[in-house]
């Protein structure tokens, strides 16, 4: 079987991150295949659930993927405290007679960042703005492996597992068609509050939604693994609102940054050796408009391009409640707009304090004000079929897929709706509901349920 072709046809993309098309990632050769099941963001349950319930499927897919990339080392990385999941995986590995290591990680954030994971497992740092393949590794999320196993059986990516936590009666898993409105999922989740904000993803790197209209328009995608419901008055929601304005951030930084360096000393990218010193970016922020020389601009703000957006600096490190992450976002945009380039260190080496500088998850949870929701696990998985779905044609990094259907057509689950753009990075998009195509555009397709 042509593994890459099956994965490409099925529209598999990274299930745990930004949605990098998997057939492209697996086209290279690597010595080490790492399966990322660390799930380091607080309150997310999805990867644990998959490890417990689909261990044999995961092990089968690992064999196919490692043959594809020519890997002679296969590693599943997850937290050492996930005893049940580790046991399920060990049994599946033994049953298959497979050569797969279990790598037990500590309970810290961001253990699931692939560059941090590679550093811990291989002992080398990925180059700045590089990928694990640069040091001979391919990292796949455990959810991606489940989708690969389906693809090898001829089944495209049309359903998604995701967990719901926070202000709900109990955390739950859901398996729903791609394109399901998140409000449909919430309506089955036992919400305990009526006025709420919603995080799509994890509390550190997810997308915070506070506008009810935006929440009503949000749908489940191939990359959405978690919904977290917070009361509208929760501290995370309030501080998120405050961090949206750059001139306010500049004013706050100028008056409150005490140059303590905590944002730098605890920054995971700094610790693995990247040029990432947010305290210097913060020090120079106030004089941004006065710097006209490009070389000086890069010296002052160039580090920002190496920021991975993990949020430790603003949610955990800074004693003054400042937002180096948001400031880095601003300078990433400015550097792009100005057409400036920042040199890359291709051979970074980890700095002293790499281990001691890790952020313990439970302390992070406390800092985020999420302790009340921690330690409640999703054991039940619910499935349902929504009345309508809206399936976006861009659920991945790169170009949107190109629609191939017309409004009014009857479609079935698994039918191809939009083909990957052949002129760049892209991925196929399939129908997730039997029904009638009521609307289709370059953005996506709406389907209403109907017996076909
Ligand atoms: S968000 Fe902050 S801690 Fe994370 S990589 Fe960027 S600067 Fe470092
Ligand atoms: S941690 Fe906060 S106060 Fe300290 S240097 Fe960084 S931004 Fe400034």
């Amino acid at each position: 079987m042509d593994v890459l072709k099956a994965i490409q046809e099925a529209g598999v993309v990274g299930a745990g991150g930004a949605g990098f098309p998997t057939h492209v990632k697996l086209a290279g050769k690597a010595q080490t295949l790492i399966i990322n099941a660390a799930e380091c963001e607080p309150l997310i349950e999805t990867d644990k659930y998959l490890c417990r319930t689909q261990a044999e499927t995961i092990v089968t897919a690992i064999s196919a993927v490692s043959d594809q990339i020519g890997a002679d080392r296969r590693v599943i990385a997850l937290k050492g405290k996930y005893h049940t999941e580790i046991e399920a995986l060990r049994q599946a590995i033994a049953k298959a007679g497979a050569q797969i290591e279990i790598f037990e990680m500590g309970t810290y954030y961001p253990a699931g960042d692939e560059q941090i994971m590679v550093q811990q497992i291989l002992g080398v740092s990925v180059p700045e703005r590089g990928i694990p393949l640069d040091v001979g590794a391919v990292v796949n999320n455990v959810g991606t492996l489940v989708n690969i196993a389906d693809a090898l059986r001829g089944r495209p990516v049309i359903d998604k597992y995701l967990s719901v936590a926070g202000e709900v009666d109990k955390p739950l898993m859901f398996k729903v068609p791609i394109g399901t409105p998140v409000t449909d999922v919430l309506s089955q989740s036992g919400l305990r509050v009526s006025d709420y904000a919603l995080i799509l993803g994890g509390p550190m790197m997810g997308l915070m939604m506070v506008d009810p209209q935006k929440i009503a328009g949000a749908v489940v995608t191939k990359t959405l693994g978690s919904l977290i419901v917070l009361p509208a008055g929760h501290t995370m929601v309030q501080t998120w609102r405050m961090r949206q304005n750059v001139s306010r951030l500049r004013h706050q930084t100028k008056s409150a940054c005490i140059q303590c360096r905590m944002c730098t000393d605890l920054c995971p990218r700094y610790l693995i050796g990247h040029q990432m010193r947010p305290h210097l970016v913060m020090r120079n922020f106030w004089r941004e408009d006065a710097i006209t020389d490009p070389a000086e601009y890069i010296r002052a703000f160039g580090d920002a391009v190496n920021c991975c957006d993990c949020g430790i600096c603003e949610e955990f490190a800074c004693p003054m409640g400042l937002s180096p992450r948001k400031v880095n976002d601003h300078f990433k945009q400015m550097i792009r707009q100005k057409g400036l380039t920042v040199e890359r260190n291709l051979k970074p080496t980890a700095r002293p304090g790499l281990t001691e500088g890790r952020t313990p998850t439970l302390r992070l949870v406390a800092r985020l004000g999420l302790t009340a929701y921690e330690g409640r696990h999703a054991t039940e998985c619910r499935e349902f079929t929504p009345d309508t779905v809206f399936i976006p044609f861009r659920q991945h990094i790169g170009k949107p897929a190109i629609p191939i259907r017309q409004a009014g057509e009857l479609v079935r689950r698994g039918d191809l709706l939009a083909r990957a753009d052949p002129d760049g990075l892209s991925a196929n998009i399939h129908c997730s509901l039997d029904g009638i195509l009521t609307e289709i555009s370059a953005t996506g397709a709406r389907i209403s349920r109907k017996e076909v």
Side-chain angles (χ1 to χ4, degrees):
M1 180 194 298
D2 186 333
V3 171
L4 276 191
K5 192 164 170 31
I7 292 170
Q8 182 174 14
E9 286 297 321
V12 181
V13 302
F20 194 88
T22 303
H23 65 280
V24 179
K25 188 183 244 191
L26 300 185
K29 297 292 173 194
Q31 295 84 44
T32 307
L33 171 65
I34 299 173
I35 306 308
N36 184 349
E39 202 155 62
C40 62
E41 285 239 31
L43 309 189
I44 305 182
E45 294 286 303
T46 307
D47 289 355
K48 287 195 282 295
Y49 180 81
L50 293 177
C51 289
R52 286 198 304 274
T53 60
Q54 307 217 25
E56 290 185 18
T57 302
I58 292 164
V59 167
T60 306
I62 290 173
S63 299
V65 172
S66 68
D67 287 350
Q68 170 60 39
I69 63 171
D72 50 24
R73 186 180 178 199
R74 293 156 285 270
V75 183
I76 304 175
L78 72 173
K79 290 182 182 150
K81 70 172 188 176
Y82 295 167
H83 302 296
T84 312
E85 292 76 13
I86 289 172
E87 184 52 31
L89 289 165
R90 284 201 198 287
Q91 282 184 17
I93 292 167
K95 188 173 171 188
Q99 295 292 316
I100 301 173
E101 302 165 37
I102 301 278
F103 189 92
E104 299 186 21
M105 305 187 81
T107 307
Y108 68 92
Y109 176 83
D113 174 317
E114 62 181 21
Q115 298 210 6
I116 304 303
M117 185 171 271
V118 165
Q119 218 295 329
Q120 204 182 342
I121 294 172
L122 300 185
V124 291
S125 296
V126 175
E128 288 171 3
R129 285 160 277 149
I131 56 173
L133 195 58
D134 295 332
V135 292
V138 162
V139 182
N140 276 130
N141 173 264
V142 74
T144 312
L145 266 284
V146 171
N147 288 336
I148 289 173
D150 279 343
L152 298 179
R153 294 191 287 251
R155 190 167 182 275
V157 183
I158 52 177
D159 293 320
K160 180 69 184 167
Y161 287 94
L162 72 162
S163 60
V164 182
E167 278 295 337
V168 289
D169 289 338
K170 60 175 183 178
L172 287 169
M173 286 300 305
F174 283 89
K175 183 187 180 193
V176 294
I178 302 279
T180 299
V182 297
T183 45
D184 284 15
V185 178
L186 295 177
S187 68
Q188 306 220 14
S189 300
L191 289 187
R192 297 194 300 207
V193 286
S194 55
D195 191 13
Y196 61 86
L198 186 66
I199 302 175
L200 277 64
M204 294 297 282
M205 296 184 71
L207 175 65
M208 174 83 76
M209 283 192 171
V210 295
D211 177 355
Q213 264 188 320
K214 283 205 171 142
I215 293 173
V219 297
V220 175
T221 63
K222 292 179 185 181
T223 56
L224 180 64
S226 162
L227 295 175
I228 297 171
V229 182
L230 294 178
H234 191 278
T235 318
M236 279 193 74
V237 182
Q238 296 306 316
T239 51
W240 179 85
R241 287 179 202 268
M242 281 165 50
R243 285 179 181 139
Q244 298 313 299
N245 183 306
V246 170
S247 61
R248 183 188 175 118
L249 285 175
R250 187 182 292 108
H251 184 70
Q252 282 178 331
T253 302
K254 186 179 175 189
S255 56
C257 177
I258 54 172
Q259 285 295 292
C260 66
R261 264 192 71 112
M262 289 302 283
C263 50
T264 293
D265 290 339
L266 297 185
C267 169
R269 286 291 195 264
Y270 171 79
L271 289 169
I272 63 169
H274 289 188
Q275 184 82 331
M276 185 69 261
R277 298 155 302 174
H279 74 286
L280 293 184
V281 174
M282 298 298 267
R283 183 193 291 172
N284 289 304
F285 188 18
W286 68 274
R287 62 188 193 101
E288 174 188 8
D289 293 337
I291 301 179
T292 50
D293 173 38
E296 192 185 353
Y297 197 88
I298 291 300
R299 273 198 301 280
F301 307 121
D303 287 13
V305 300
N306 292 326
C307 173
C308 70
D309 218 26
C310 72
I312 282 184
C313 50
E314 70 180 24
E315 301 291 358
F316 187 78
C318 183
M320 305 306 287
L322 299 174
S323 307
R325 165 167 62 174
K326 194 79 194 147
V327 175
N328 284 338
D329 274 354
H330 167 69
F331 283 111
K332 277 184 202 170
Q333 285 174 33
M334 294 308 297
I335 288 168
R336 209 168 26 240
Q337 271 175 31
K338 288 173 184 281
L340 300 175
T341 47
V342 180
E343 274 183 33
R344 293 171 64 203
N345 179 358
L346 299 177
K347 288 203 177 297
T349 50
R351 291 190 164 91
L354 175 68
T355 307
E356 300 76 12
R358 288 180 184 144
T359 298
T361 304
L362 279 182
R363 284 178 59 193
L364 176 64
V365 165
R367 194 70 65 86
L368 293 171
L370 298 175
T371 304
Y373 312 119
E374 170 63 21
R376 303 161 78 217
H377 298 296
T379 51
E380 179 189 342
C381 183
R382 295 185 181 170
E383 297 185 33
F384 68 90
T385 305
D387 291 334
T388 62
V389 292
F390 180 79
I391 304 175
F393 291 158
R394 187 177 189 175
Q395 301 179 42
H396 45 264
I397 284 181
K399 297 186 167 183
I402 301 166
I404 59 166
R405 304 271 174 182
Q406 306 282 329
E409 277 188 56
L410 291 176
V411 284
R412 287 181 183 278
R413 269 166 68 78
D415 287 351
L416 189 64
L417 282 181
R419 198 179 294 285
D421 189 322
D423 293 330
L425 212 53
S426 189
N428 286 341
I429 301 284
H430 298 80
C431 176
S432 62
L433 188 69
D434 290 346
I436 185 160
L437 245 174
T438 55
E439 178 191 325
I440 187 159
S441 68
T443 314
R446 193 174 305 282
I447 299 160
S448 291
R449 180 150 59 121
K450 189 173 193 285
E451 295 298 325
V452 291

